[in-house]
Amino acid sequence: MEQMIALSKLRHSDSNVRKSGRTGIPQLAGDIEARGLLQNLCVTALRKPRGHYAVFAGGRRLEALQLLAGEGRIDKDMPVSCKVLEGDDATLSEASLAENFQRVNMTPTDECRAFQHFIGEGCDLDAVAKRFGVTRRFVEGRLRLAGLADPVFEALAEGRITLDMAKAYATTADQAKQTRVFEQYGTYSYTTPDQVRRAIAGDALKATDPIAKLVGEDAYVAAGGTIERELFSENGDRWTDPEIAQGLAAAIMEAEAKRLGEEQGLAWVRPVAAAHIYNATDGLYRVNLPKAPMTEAEEARADAIQTRLEEIGDELDSGEVDDEAGAALEAEYDTLEDEWNELQRRPTVLPEDLKGQIGTFLTLASDGKMVLETTYFSETPIRGPEDEADGARSRGSKGATPPPEKIAPGGKPLSARLSDELAMQRRDILAAAILADPALALDYALFAMIDGNRGFGRYGTTMKAPRPNDPVIGMDGEPTQARIAIEQARDALDASWTEPGDVVSRFEAFRALDDGAKAGWLALMVAGSIEAKPDYSDTTNPLHARLAAILEINPAQWWRPTSANFFDRVSKGTLLALLGDIGGETLAGRYAASKKPEVSAACQKLFAGEAITEPAIKDAALAWVPGAMRFDIVGAEPVEDDDEHAGDDHEDPEDDPADTCGDDQDDFEIEHPDETLEAAE
């Protein structure tokens, strides 16, 4: 039965199942004041005092009404629409549960449409915020989401993307850009909001970008630059005219480079608005300079440190020290080790007679400060004091023969960054493959940790498996098949043991796992520790090559070249040489007069197996990967497998075209086809 009951005669009921979560009362009160009570209260009559009622469903609405009455915004005896029910406490609690449990909150997209409606009716932002009891910033954020491109907004409404992901797309008001990024990343379940923000901000600068820090907001705005304030984070403002900031930064760095060059007497100092100089050194010769020798005092100190480190190691290994003394010894060891490493970092000595022939780079650190590099280069070959008698040149020298991994088709070297990226993707392939062989991962891990055991850990063990320092940071593009396999393997592992708060509880939970689960975690740990390449080298790690041989890895099955990850990154001449290797002069000649983007697009289809062509050409293209993606060691002695595989029959690689076509293809002969690449363009 429904009836009107005075507000002053309503009380809260103990039968109401909602004991917490009565938030947003001011917001609800504002809504009731504006539109009235849209839903009645569910009440039951009280025995004492007679004529009063207990509210067992609608407690938040009652509190909102009482708030309005207390502030004098409505009369305390205002009649309230109520539905009166009778029953015992269990019946009333069940009705309260049903009323609360079946309620569905508005979705963010519903809120967007609601706010849009009121703004369209002439309400300003502050009025809408006051009416709904939210902040102006909240309303602005929902209105920004209302401006999402249709595919993104629909994905949010249907629950295919989260609110945080939608906010990432809303960091730009450009719907075309939102759509492009959504088409590229929206189908991948492992895409994060940060990845979307980075993709959208690709043509803008964050206020935290080193270039922005160097230039400063005042100078940027004074030069006509505009700033788009981020509504969903406190520190995400974007500079939407990056060319202005880059021009200002270039002027600052060029002036400083000129000053430093004149001050130090160098032939040149080139500014690079980045923290690295990978591609800037192409065509230059690195000058090897001697290190400053240690003084007698420094040599004596280094010897003393080494002696003390050995003493500490012996004390800790003896097992005769208690925990407190052991911790003190470990702390002393770490301090001494840092001091010893610092002594080994000797500055280079720059002879006066070389200064006028060499130069270096002025780089930009992450904090926006300019840093003068201490590595020197020359534009013509110079035999430095540290060069060997045979005149060997260092990495990157114009006249030197690059390692096999860096040679592209046609004999031209790959850029340093592309070579490093390919090395990282080759590493991912090995990591994904080793997941399938935990026993091999165990052998590799134990050997690496025992053979390379150094220092002391903080968990009572010297075994460590830190993440590698990759040579390239911030690689963009779609995730590779190997990276997807690694993430899927991680998601499939039993991670329940990671939930306890203290280390002992986590250890006991891990011990409770079965051997298969432990082996999976071991394989993942080993896979995550693999380095892309040896430091300061472009050669394949021989252990990686051996692991790849045991696992019978074929990189072509894991990775295919595309315009984005390879073909756009090399010259047109390299592409024509590659086409010639795969299909002969006829295939290369077809694209000799084409523009590079057309050749790149055609190569992408051919090497993905999507082009209509001769079977032999298609097979060769599908088997090809750059030298930097292969695990073979040029000049390495063959390693015999153990007895377990001694009886296996292995084909000679020279008899298998699929193995040889991955090389530089000098020995790969193919008849010139009458019909060559007919790409479905």
Side-chain angles (χ1 to χ4, degrees):
M1 179 180 65
E2 295 185 5
Q3 67 183 73
M4 303 300 292
I5 302 173
L7 175 60
S8 59
K9 294 185 177 183
L10 298 175
R11 306 284 188 273
H12 282 289
S13 171
D14 291 336
S15 298
N16 193 331
V17 297
R18 186 187 289 274
K19 305 299 183 184
S20 60
R22 288 176 180 164
T23 58
I25 301 301
Q27 173 185 353
L28 180 57
D31 186 78
I32 292 175
E33 184 181 22
R35 279 178 291 278
L37 189 65
L38 302 179
Q39 184 179 0
N40 57 21
L41 308 182
C42 295
V43 303
T44 186
L46 292 172
R47 294 182 179 179
K48 293 181 180 180
R50 292 181 64 84
H52 288 71
Y53 296 83
V55 178
F56 64 84
R60 289 182 67 249
R61 280 164 275 154
L62 176 59
E63 285 190 32
L65 289 167
Q66 291 172 337
L67 174 63
L68 292 173
E71 295 178 352
R73 294 155 67 181
I74 62 173
D75 187 81
K76 64 179 181 179
D77 292 320
M78 183 190 83
V80 179
S81 176
C82 299
K83 184 174 184 178
V84 182
L85 298 178
E86 299 295 337
D88 56 19
D89 288 345
T91 301
L92 297 177
S93 294
E94 183 179 350
S96 174
L97 175 63
E99 197 267 353
N100 282 280
F101 190 76
Q102 299 300 333
R103 181 183 304 148
V104 178
N105 292 330
M106 289 182 65
T107 66
T109 52
D110 292 333
E111 293 171 350
C112 293
R113 295 185 180 104
F115 291 157
Q116 265 190 325
H117 170 75
F118 286 107
I119 294 296
E121 292 293 322
C123 295
D124 59 24
L125 291 175
D126 293 325
V128 173
K130 181 179 180 181
R131 169 172 287 193
F132 287 93
V134 295
T135 64
R136 177 189 176 97
R137 185 182 181 88
F138 182 87
V139 177
E140 289 177 330
R142 287 298 186 263
L143 291 176
R144 175 70 70 84
L145 292 180
L148 287 170
D150 289 342
V152 184
F153 193 85
E154 290 173 3
L156 175 62
E158 296 170 4
R160 288 185 283 117
I161 63 173
T162 64
L163 178 59
D164 286 341
M165 189 69 77
K167 289 178 178 180
Y169 284 104
T171 53
T172 179
D174 187 342
Q175 292 190 346
K177 181 180 293 185
Q178 293 173 5
T179 302
R180 287 196 302 271
V181 175
F182 182 74
E183 290 174 349
Q184 182 177 1
Y185 291 92
T187 57
Y188 296 102
S189 59
Y190 45 80
T191 300
T192 66
D194 284 342
Q195 287 176 307
V196 172
R197 287 190 177 92
R198 285 195 295 269
I200 287 177
D203 62 343
L205 288 178
K206 281 189 175 181
T208 55
D209 190 279
I211 290 179
K213 290 182 177 181
L214 174 65
V215 172
E217 182 175 318
D218 292 341
Y220 169 71
V221 173
T226 56
I227 297 177
E228 187 174 86
R229 302 297 180 185
E230 174 57 68
L231 294 175
F232 302 114
S233 100
E234 297 296 331
N235 301 308
D237 293 346
R238 298 192 302 123
W239 294 15
T240 55
D241 298 302
E243 66 280 355
I244 294 178
Q246 291 162 357
L248 294 172
I252 294 172
M253 295 192 70
E254 286 172 2
E256 180 66 6
K258 181 179 179 181
R259 185 189 70 80
L260 290 172
E262 293 174 351
E263 179 182 280
Q264 300 200 13
L266 298 174
W268 49 266
V269 175
R270 298 177 185 174
V272 177
H276 57 76
I277 56 174
Y278 289 136
N279 294 330
T281 61
D282 287 349
L284 296 176
Y285 299 84
R286 181 170 176 172
V287 179
N288 294 323
L289 298 174
K291 301 289 185 181
M294 286 188 183
T295 64
E296 292 184 2
E298 289 173 332
E299 289 182 353
R301 178 57 182 162
D303 291 340
I305 290 174
Q306 193 65 37
T307 300
R308 180 55 183 157
L309 290 176
E310 294 174 359
E311 293 173 353
I312 293 175
D314 292 340
E315 290 184 61
L316 290 171
D317 291 339
S318 69
E320 299 177 357
V321 294
D322 56 29
D323 292 343
E324 183 176 353
L329 287 172
E330 288 186 5
E332 181 185 358
Y333 189 101
D334 290 343
T335 301
L336 291 173
E337 189 175 43
D338 290 341
E339 183 182 354
W340 190 86
N341 289 334
E342 190 61 34
L343 286 171
Q344 304 307 309
R345 298 189 187 99
R346 311 305 302 165
T348 57
V349 176
L350 180 57
E352 290 292 332
D353 60 341
L354 285 181
K355 286 186 176 181
Q357 306 175 57
I358 64 177
T360 188
F361 295 89
L362 183 67
T363 60
L364 189 61
S366 60
D367 59 0
K369 294 181 180 179
M370 293 177 284
V371 178
L372 186 66
E373 293 292 312
T374 57
T375 302
Y376 298 92
F377 299 85
S378 67
E379 296 177 347
T380 57
I382 293 179
R383 188 183 298 274
E386 292 297 294
D387 284 331
E388 297 181 2
D390 60 1
R393 297 179 177 87
S394 63
R395 171 190 175 194
S397 298
K398 183 182 293 185
T401 301
E405 291 86 349
K406 292 194 68 176
I407 297 178
K412 295 183 178 180
L414 302 176
S415 69
R417 181 180 176 89
L418 177 55
S419 177
D420 287 345
E421 289 183 5
L422 294 174
M424 290 165 60
Q425 293 176 80
R426 179 185 64 198
R427 179 273 314 278
D428 287 346
I429 292 173
L430 178 59
I434 207 170
L435 290 171
D437 196 335
L440 179 62
L442 176 61
D443 292 343
Y444 179 42
L446 291 177
F447 173 80
M449 288 187 286
I450 295 172
D451 194 61
N453 189 11
R454 296 290 186 271
F456 296 91
R458 290 287 180 257
Y459 285 83
T461 177
T462 58
M463 292 191 297
K464 298 178 181 179
R467 295 290 302 169
N469 293 320
D470 285 337
V472 174
I473 299 175
M475 286 177 57
D476 297 324
E478 295 184 2
T480 62
Q481 183 179 346
R483 179 52 53 187
I484 293 172
I486 295 170
E487 294 304 322
Q488 289 176 340
R490 184 190 305 277
D491 293 340
L493 290 175
D494 181 357
S496 59
W497 65 273
T498 65
E499 297 173 1
D502 62 278
V503 64
V504 174
S505 298
R506 291 196 301 273
F507 174 65
E508 294 299 337
F510 183 79
R511 287 185 63 203
L513 297 177
D514 59 41
D515 290 344
K518 291 178 184 178
W521 278 103
L522 172 63
L524 183 68
M525 180 193 73
V526 174
S529 72
I530 297 176
E531 296 176 330
K533 63 175 191 174
D535 290 340
Y536 310 109
S537 172
D538 287 303
T539 59
T540 303
N541 186 303
L543 262 180
H544 287 188
R546 180 57 183 151
L547 292 172
I550 296 172
L551 293 167
E552 298 181 349
I553 295 176
N554 179 5
Q557 294 178 352
W558 289 86
W559 182 92
R560 299 310 306 137
T562 65
S563 294
N565 68 19
F566 189 81
F567 298 127
D568 285 350
R569 313 282 293 279
V570 297
S571 67
K572 176 183 174 182
T574 295
L575 298 182
L576 294 177
L578 175 55
L579 291 173
D581 291 339
I582 296 299
E585 296 178 0
T586 302
L587 180 59
R590 175 181 287 272
Y591 291 94
S594 300
K595 295 182 179 179
K596 182 186 171 183
E598 298 173 350
V599 184
S600 174
C603 285
Q604 175 166 294
K605 293 179 179 179
L606 172 63
F607 286 82
E610 299 172 357
I612 302 174
T613 186
E614 293 287 332
I617 296 177
K618 182 176 181 179
D619 291 343
L622 288 174
W624 184 87
V625 294
M629 290 293 293
R630 295 197 303 271
F631 290 99
D632 54 305
I633 300 292
V634 176
E637 292 295 328
V639 179
E640 294 294 335
D641 249 336
D642 53 29
D643 294 338
E644 179 182 354
H645 302 289
D648 294 347
D649 293 327
H650 297 287
E651 295 179 357
D652 189 339
E654 294 183 359
D655 296 332
D656 186 359
D659 290 334
T660 57
C661 64
D663 296 329
D664 285 335
Q665 314 266 341
D666 292 335
D667 298 325
F668 184 79
E669 297 181 0
I670 183 170
E671 294 182 2
H672 295 175
D674 295 329
E675 295 183 359
T676 55
L677 175 62
E678 296 178 10
E681 298 174 349

